Amino acid sequence: MKKVVEFKPLVPPVAIERKYAKELRALVLAMTRDYASVAKIYKDKRHQIVQDDTWGITDLDKRLDALGEKWRVRFEEYAKENSPKVVNQVLKQSNLQIKDVLKDWFAEKRFMLLDSHIPVPMRQVMKASVEYNVSLIKSLHSQYAERVRGAVYRAVAGGGTLKDLKRDLVKYAGMEERRAKLVAGDQIRKCFTDISARRFTDLGITKMKWIHTGASKEPRIYHKTHWDGKSGKRNGDPNGLNGFIFDINQPPVIDKKTGERGYPNQLPFCRCRMAPIIEFEK
């Protein structure tokens, strides 16, 4: 008969998430303020644009291209410089929490590898996290730039007013600020969970328990539903993920529509957590 020992769930580092969100928001704010100059350009050139569509569009294109290149470089530089730092901070927080959670179970010597050694599989997880982080940060600029260009072209083609263009720029700026906060939160939580799962396998722990926290405003029903303790053990998926014990190397389906498998925090807005499990024969 097996005995199951369940430990406290790990908690994604809120301080790192908030600091990261603050930095991203500052970068986005600087970009949107710079792009606000487009409204002034449109105001100054509008009569010329109406008289000569070809010249007007070409002039606006050049100005938008210059802004686009400027902020593409800024976001790319920030992403490449800061993403590795953030991932390393997350690794340190994961190590600290794992030590605290398992301090009464493992001897201190067992934890030495957490501080002194990063195995190849962990390096791959960290590299993937950095690359994903870089792509998300760069997308903050690219999506915004496309929206601004579309707003300018609509104003030109449809004879829109300066007020219409300013309204669109304010709307898109707000959307981008909110998205920066979401990107920071989702990425930190996903990175923390991926790294922690890898760390547990380094320590020889192979089981995890899925825990729904109720922190999300719109929780996924499948994540919230309690597992019945039987289904999914051998064949098929569990009837619910909440309380489900799974093998770290064989994570459960987290989205029934797509069949995607993974860990808590992998899907956008997911705030579920995982608790390490140790099973042994009594």
Side-chain angles (χ1 to χ4, degrees):
M1 185 176 179
K2 286 187 177 181
K3 180 177 180 180
V4 176
V5 179
E6 178 182 340
F7 297 89
K8 292 189 303 183
L10 301 189
V11 181
V14 177
I16 295 177
E17 178 184 329
R18 288 176 178 169
K19 182 176 181 295
Y20 189 36
K22 184 178 179 180
E23 290 179 0
L24 281 183
R25 182 174 179 271
L27 191 61
V28 165
L29 274 173
M31 174 183 68
T32 56
R33 286 171 182 158
D34 200 9
Y35 266 90
S37 63
V38 170
K40 186 177 185 304
I41 296 168
Y42 180 73
K43 177 183 178 183
D44 295 342
K45 303 292 184 181
R46 188 166 182 272
H47 294 297
Q48 292 170 291
I49 291 171
V50 171
Q51 294 171 8
D52 186 349
D53 287 345
T54 303
W55 178 89
I57 290 296
T58 300
D59 183 59
L60 281 170
D61 264 339
K62 288 180 179 178
R63 293 170 186 269
L64 287 170
D65 286 345
L67 278 171
E69 181 59 18
K70 171 185 175 180
W71 285 100
R72 182 195 67 77
V73 171
R74 287 278 297 275
F75 271 76
E76 188 171 303
E77 288 177 345
Y78 174 85
K80 289 182 177 179
E81 179 182 350
N82 288 277
S83 293
K85 294 179 183 178
V86 169
V87 171
N88 275 297
Q89 289 171 357
V90 171
L91 174 66
K92 290 178 181 178
Q93 283 299 311
S94 173
N95 288 347
L96 287 172
Q97 283 200 41
I98 289 173
K99 287 181 181 180
D100 181 61
V101 168
L102 299 174
K103 63 186 176 184
D104 295 329
W105 189 264
F106 290 146
E108 183 63 29
K109 185 180 291 187
R110 188 78 175 270
F111 293 131
M112 288 178 63
L113 68 89
L114 298 182
D115 298 319
S116 62
H117 182 56
I118 302 179
V120 173
M122 173 59 81
R123 292 183 186 278
Q124 292 173 339
V125 169
M126 294 175 68
K127 181 182 178 184
S129 294
V130 168
E131 290 175 350
Y132 183 56
N133 189 268
V134 168
S135 68
L136 284 177
I137 293 174
K138 288 163 67 174
S139 74
L140 287 172
H141 163 258
S142 61
Q143 290 193 15
Y144 177 75
E146 288 176 10
R147 288 191 177 113
V148 171
R149 190 179 290 270
V152 171
Y153 285 176
R154 285 194 299 275
V156 171
T161 65
L162 179 62
K163 183 179 179 180
D164 294 333
L165 180 55
K166 284 184 175 179
R167 181 197 61 213
D168 284 345
L169 292 178
V170 169
K171 180 178 75 173
Y172 295 147
M175 290 170 61
E176 213 60 23
E177 282 187 58
R178 291 190 294 274
R179 187 163 170 264
K181 182 179 179 180
L182 292 174
V183 162
D186 278 351
Q187 177 56 15
I188 292 299
R189 289 191 295 271
K190 182 180 184 303
C191 178
F192 179 77
T193 301
D194 288 344
I195 284 176
S196 299
R198 185 67 251 173
R199 270 311 195 199
F200 280 124
T201 60
D202 293 340
L203 289 169
I205 296 174
T206 62
K207 300 288 185 179
M208 290 288 182
K209 185 176 183 179
W210 189 293
I211 298 175
H212 175 74
T213 63
S216 178
K217 292 181 180 179
E218 297 181 4
R220 292 173 173 84
I221 300 302
Y222 183 48
H223 291 198
K224 185 178 180 180
T225 302
H226 280 276
W227 175 50
D228 62 13
K230 297 178 182 179
S231 63
K233 276 290 202 176
R234 296 181 179 177
N235 299 304
D237 303 320
N239 61 314
L241 289 180
N242 194 10
F244 180 62
I245 297 175
F246 63 93
D247 190 315
I248 295 177
N249 295 316
Q250 295 180 324
V253 170
I254 56 178
D255 187 336
K256 290 243 180 176
K257 292 181 179 179
T258 64
E260 180 179 352
R261 291 180 176 274
Y263 304 122
N265 305 134
Q266 184 166 311
L267 294 178
F269 313 114
C270 178
R271 292 177 179 272
C272 296
R273 295 175 184 170
M274 62 182 188
I277 296 288
I278 292 180
E279 293 181 342
F280 59 92
E281 298 294 335
K282 293 180 68 174

